[in-house]
Amino acid sequence: MRYGEFSCFQSGVAVPVFSLKTQDCVGIGEFLDLVPFGTWAKTCGLNVIQILPVNDTGYESSPYSARSAFALNPVFIRLQIVHGADAFKKDIQTLQKRFAAETKVHYAEIARAKRQILRKIFDANYAMLDKNVALAKWIEANSWIKPYAVYAMLKEKNGESSWRSWKEDQDPTDLRVNSLYRKHRKDVLFQCWMQFEAEAQFKVASNKLTEMGVRLKGDIPILINEDSADVWFNRRYFSLDDRAGAPPDMFSYSGQNWGFPTYRWDVIEQENFTWWRERLAQASKFYHAYRIDHVLGFFRIWAIPQNERTGIFGHFSPAVPVTQTELSAAGFKKETVEYLQRPNYSKEQLREFLGEATESCLEKYFEFLPFTSDRYVFKKEFDCESAIIDSAEEQSVKDALLKVQWNRIFVPGSPADTYYPFWYWYNAPVLKTLPQNEQEILGRLLHANEASQESIWYANGKKLLTVLAQETDMVVCAEDLGAVPHCVPSVLGELQINSLRVERWARNWDAPGQPYYDVSEYPRLSVSTTSVHDTSTLLGLWNESDFDKNLFWKNHLHLEGDAPQSLSPDVVKLLIGNIFQSNSLFCILPVQDFLALSSRWTPQNPEDERVNTPGTVGPQNWAYKMPCTVEELSDNSTLKNEIAKLVNARANRSLR
């Protein structure tokens, strides 16, 4: 869908669909709730609504854990308007009442209950649906639906277990999928019908927003769950030998392992990126703009061997490895290189890591280095993180054993005799065991290797993102957070892709004092925001112990005196007014930060309005529900006027 011309700075609101709350919804936000929410946004002068992914995730609450790159989540269907729902009016009302007073989204319970009602409606109307011409034409027009529907049917019959644990049909062919489609027609058609209904309702909501002049911005995750219809059916596009994640950073010493397979881009390119093109075509049915999640992964993904748990043993892909030939030319023997990727230890050296647990660990986890009787290495079966983390040791012993594993310079590559630098190679204790001159030679070699990657990443990012940028007329925005290669801003600029500026992180990290960039310095081709779904809100940020309020107040906002200890609506207005002065074409704030303009909906604990805390698992994540209905929000004329003043001031600034 076309966004339209930009006559003024764009202002928007970000809200997960599941967080919306109206008088009609059943326990969770629904596609059609976007219509009254869009009406509210329009009265505030907002141009765009940004949502999180809405793909089918089964009973998993994270919207980034999709079981399909194409299928929508049936949990967002409005039951009441589905043909045949009147016969189950009491069931729907009972479910509605059950969750009406809940302040959080109970995703799995609601997802199961709504699917059960949908199945009742389907079964009661199967004779008609089996001959429904519109449904049949829709199925034929969407090539992804049959494999997805068969996968979803089999997953249900296998107790929702992963396809990797199924006793049969782990490696489907087109012929087998068609055979299963015919054999289990009713159950498979149920899956198709839910998608037919979900798409129809989502398109109605999107078209209504278009009519009122409000644009919809979607979110397209780069990665797909291993347990998905896409990996199950299109195995050739994915590598199951490693997992995608993020390298270590200031927030996570050991990096992140997301557990998702990486792409085999060579195969995808051989087929002219058809899978990605079809994925974007599906998204363009609903969105005027979209956010590319983890755009850095299109330049290079952090690939982690499948038997590791953290992200620390990963390496960038694509990347130029260090070769044995280079190391030999620099004076390093093959035995030395082996030592640097799999260090051996004396008992006393191990004691520095393991302390009192040394003797017991020696017997369980270590063996003598071949041809020695006093040097130890990990036994092969324990030379990976999974073996240590799954052991019965106390956590302190596990942590110590992991530190022994992490003490290395190289991670082995493929083919043999190629190596990737371990992320913390420069701090590894094993480095200090080399003579000083060898440490210096190795340092120069690894720094040169690091510098050589940029040209590869530039070419890879340019090639892949060109496909995304030119395939549809949707406006493209990138989530470019993390360890950003120098080539990223250049490629995004060349392809007219908007970058992201999260105010709290938009700082000159290399300058003394790490000062904030003024919002007027943000690139025009960018989306600026106060908070995102993976951070605290403005109210939460102000309470964080490691957030220097005074630095933000004086250095960034240029205000006198000390920062207030808490945020009142007036101070929130000041903060929003500041970022609305940004040079970014788009400024899209979470609905929580707009609600903070009114004390009426200010939470006692700001953590209650956080959408997700990365690195944690629990019912608190992906469960945020708005504290008011959209109808109550629309009735609050004071809040609407406050937002409208801020938005109008931004819109009245010249784009030139």
Side-chain angles (χ1 to χ4, degrees):
M1 298 182 73
R2 189 167 180 272
Y3 193 96
E5 300 300 321
F6 296 109
S7 59
C8 64
F9 282 100
Q10 302 292 287
S11 302
V13 56
V15 62
V17 171
F18 60 74
S19 299
L20 293 170
K21 182 180 175 183
T22 65
Q23 294 172 354
D24 294 321
C25 70
V26 179
I28 191 170
E30 298 167 348
F31 289 130
L32 291 174
D33 292 331
L34 287 165
V35 178
F37 189 75
T39 301
W40 170 80
K42 179 69 173 178
T43 61
C44 294
L46 296 166
N47 311 100
V48 57
I49 297 171
Q50 176 177 312
I51 61 176
L52 293 180
V54 290
N55 298 84
D56 181 18
T57 61
Y59 304 113
E60 164 63 52
S61 62
S62 170
Y64 292 95
S65 189
R67 56 165 63 172
S68 169
F70 298 86
L72 296 171
N73 199 328
V75 78
F76 300 132
I77 293 174
R78 173 145 300 155
L79 299 174
Q80 300 93 310
I81 68 168
V82 175
H83 179 77
D86 285 347
F88 304 95
K89 189 174 182 179
K90 287 186 178 180
D91 290 359
I92 297 170
Q93 289 176 339
T94 298
L95 185 61
Q96 200 169 31
K97 291 176 182 177
R98 177 179 165 191
F99 293 103
E102 296 292 340
T103 58
K104 292 287 186 180
V105 175
H106 296 268
Y107 177 84
E109 293 178 62
I110 296 168
R112 289 184 188 279
K114 291 188 78 169
R115 288 194 191 219
Q116 288 168 1
I117 294 176
L118 285 166
R119 184 66 199 231
K120 289 180 180 180
I121 298 171
F122 174 82
D123 287 345
N125 295 273
Y126 175 65
M128 178 195 69
L129 292 170
D130 187 39
K131 300 176 182 178
N132 187 293
V133 175
L135 175 58
K137 285 184 177 179
W138 182 85
I139 292 171
E140 289 304 314
N142 290 274
S143 61
W144 58 268
I145 186 62
K146 285 186 179 180
Y148 159 79
V150 170
Y151 160 84
M153 177 273 298
L154 289 174
K155 190 168 176 61
E156 186 174 303
K157 289 186 180 299
N158 283 277
E160 297 299 326
S161 62
S162 167
W163 60 262
R164 300 199 76 168
S165 66
W166 298 351
K167 292 181 180 179
E168 56 184 358
D169 294 315
Q170 289 188 342
D171 296 291
T173 62
D174 284 329
L175 191 64
R176 179 60 175 165
V177 166
N178 287 328
S179 174
L180 288 167
Y181 188 89
R182 291 190 298 270
K183 180 179 179 181
H184 301 277
R185 178 166 174 77
K186 185 175 182 180
D187 290 336
V188 172
L189 192 65
F190 170 61
Q191 302 293 338
C192 296
W193 172 74
M194 283 196 293
Q195 290 303 312
F196 177 69
E197 292 289 339
E199 181 171 304
Q201 292 192 14
F202 196 18
K203 287 176 78 171
V204 166
S206 178
N207 290 336
K208 291 285 187 182
L209 292 176
T210 301
E211 290 171 10
M212 65 179 75
V214 175
R215 301 298 182 242
L216 186 61
K217 180 184 174 187
D219 190 332
I220 299 182
I222 178 177
L223 300 165
I224 292 296
N225 200 326
E226 176 183 280
D227 186 17
S228 64
D230 302 88
V231 179
W232 175 71
F233 184 67
N234 293 308
R235 196 80 44 79
R236 64 192 182 279
Y237 297 150
F238 302 90
S239 169
L240 300 184
D241 294 331
D242 47 32
R243 296 292 180 268
D249 57 24
M250 68 181 76
F251 304 107
S252 175
Y253 178 85
S254 57
Q256 299 177 53
N257 186 335
W258 299 326
F260 298 134
T262 57
Y263 288 111
R264 294 188 60 195
W265 284 112
D266 56 336
V267 177
I268 293 174
E269 184 174 8
Q270 287 169 12
E271 299 186 19
N272 195 28
F273 303 98
T274 299
W275 184 82
W276 266 100
R277 294 181 192 278
E278 291 176 348
R279 189 180 181 190
L280 293 172
Q282 179 71 3
S284 68
K285 293 178 180 179
F286 319 109
Y287 304 130
H288 306 88
Y290 69 96
R291 168 188 180 271
I292 306 173
D293 176 56
H294 191 59
V295 75
L296 304 185
F298 288 95
F299 292 83
R300 77 290 182 276
I301 200 73
W302 187 249
I304 306 155
Q306 63 173 333
N307 60 350
E308 306 296 353
R309 292 290 181 83
T310 75
I312 208 167
F313 281 135
H315 66 273
F316 286 124
S317 177
V320 180
V322 179
T323 66
Q324 181 62 54
T325 301
E326 291 176 273
L327 291 164
S328 297
F332 295 98
K333 298 179 180 179
K334 191 170 181 62
E335 294 78 9
T336 303
V337 176
E338 175 64 21
Y339 167 69
L340 295 177
Q341 74 164 336
R342 193 184 182 216
N344 58 75
Y345 302 88
S346 68
K347 183 183 291 188
E348 291 310 309
Q349 287 174 322
L350 284 174
R351 198 179 302 280
E352 293 177 13
F353 289 95
L354 300 169
E356 295 179 358
T358 302
E359 295 296 336
S360 62
C361 286
L362 276 175
E363 183 178 348
K364 292 181 186 177
Y365 302 106
F366 295 89
E367 62 187 5
F368 285 124
L369 180 71
F371 311 112
T372 73
S373 59
D374 61 349
R375 305 294 297 181
Y376 297 88
V377 292
F378 271 108
K379 294 177 181 178
K380 287 291 186 181
E381 63 266 31
F382 293 111
D383 201 12
C384 66
E385 291 179 320
S386 296
I388 300 301
I389 292 172
D390 291 340
S391 72
E393 303 293 342
E394 293 182 4
Q395 189 60 49
S396 59
V397 176
K398 291 182 183 181
D399 291 342
L401 287 167
L402 288 175
K403 287 180 180 178
V404 177
Q405 285 188 339
W406 295 348
N407 177 30
R408 62 182 68 199
I409 302 298
F410 292 119
V411 174
S414 180
D417 291 340
T418 62
Y419 311 92
Y420 296 102
F422 178 66
W423 187 263
Y424 295 115
W425 66 265
Y426 51 87
N427 275 335
V430 68
L431 179 65
K432 306 305 179 185
T433 66
L434 296 178
Q436 184 63 37
N437 68 312
E438 291 188 7
Q439 293 183 41
E440 294 172 358
I441 293 171
L442 191 59
R444 287 195 294 271
L445 190 152
L446 295 184
H447 284 305
N449 174 264
E450 180 182 1
S452 71
Q453 311 295 337
E454 284 286 334
S455 60
I456 295 175
W457 295 341
Y458 172 87
N460 198 57
K462 183 71 176 289
K463 176 175 64 178
L464 300 182
L465 290 175
T466 296
V467 175
L468 271 67
Q470 297 180 355
E471 184 62 23
T472 72
D473 56 4
M474 293 183 289
V475 171
V476 188
C477 306
E479 184 266 296
D480 55 339
L481 303 176
V484 182
H486 296 300
C487 60
V488 170
S490 300
V491 172
L492 297 184
E494 290 167 20
L495 297 177
Q496 295 292 290
I497 296 175
N498 292 273
S499 59
L500 177 63
R501 292 296 182 274
V502 182
E503 189 176 22
R504 68 191 69 181
W505 294 330
R507 302 172 67 169
N508 187 345
W509 298 103
D510 297 324
Q514 300 175 330
Y516 289 92
Y517 287 110
D518 192 276
V519 295
S520 64
E521 300 177 89
Y522 293 177
R524 174 58 55 83
L525 205 63
S526 69
V527 179
S528 57
T529 187
T530 47
S531 320
V532 295
H533 64 268
D534 279 337
T535 72
S536 57
T537 59
L538 271 178
L539 295 178
L541 172 67
W542 219 255
N543 286 350
E544 291 176 1
S545 58
D546 58 351
F547 173 61
D548 191 334
K549 292 190 282 285
N550 285 327
L551 179 67
F552 187 87
W553 190 259
K554 297 173 182 178
N555 173 270
H556 183 55
L557 300 179
H558 309 296
L559 296 172
E560 298 293 331
D562 290 337
Q565 290 305 301
S566 60
L567 293 184
S568 65
D570 285 340
V571 179
V572 171
K573 186 195 304 185
L574 187 153
L575 298 180
I576 294 178
N578 177 70
I579 198 165
F580 268 13
Q581 290 294 314
S582 74
N583 187 48
S584 303
L585 177 60
F586 292 91
C587 189
I588 303 174
L589 311 188
V591 68
Q592 299 96 308
D593 289 350
F594 281 122
L595 292 178
L597 289 166
S598 169
S599 57
R600 180 178 175 184
W601 291 307
T602 301
Q604 287 188 337
N605 181 4
E607 283 299 301
D608 290 341
E609 59 179 4
R610 183 165 183 155
V611 175
N612 181 51
T613 302
T616 68
V617 177
Q620 75 283 355
N621 288 335
W622 314 113
Y624 170 71
K625 181 186 286 188
M626 286 176 54
C628 57
T629 64
V630 176
E631 292 85 356
E632 291 171 326
L633 188 64
S634 298
D635 288 341
N636 191 328
S637 57
T638 302
L639 178 59
K640 281 195 294 188
N641 291 336
E642 291 290 354
I643 296 173
K645 289 176 187 175
L646 291 163
V647 172
N648 289 337
R650 176 171 167 77
N652 289 333
R653 292 166 47 213
S654 173
L655 267 176
R656 296 183 180 180

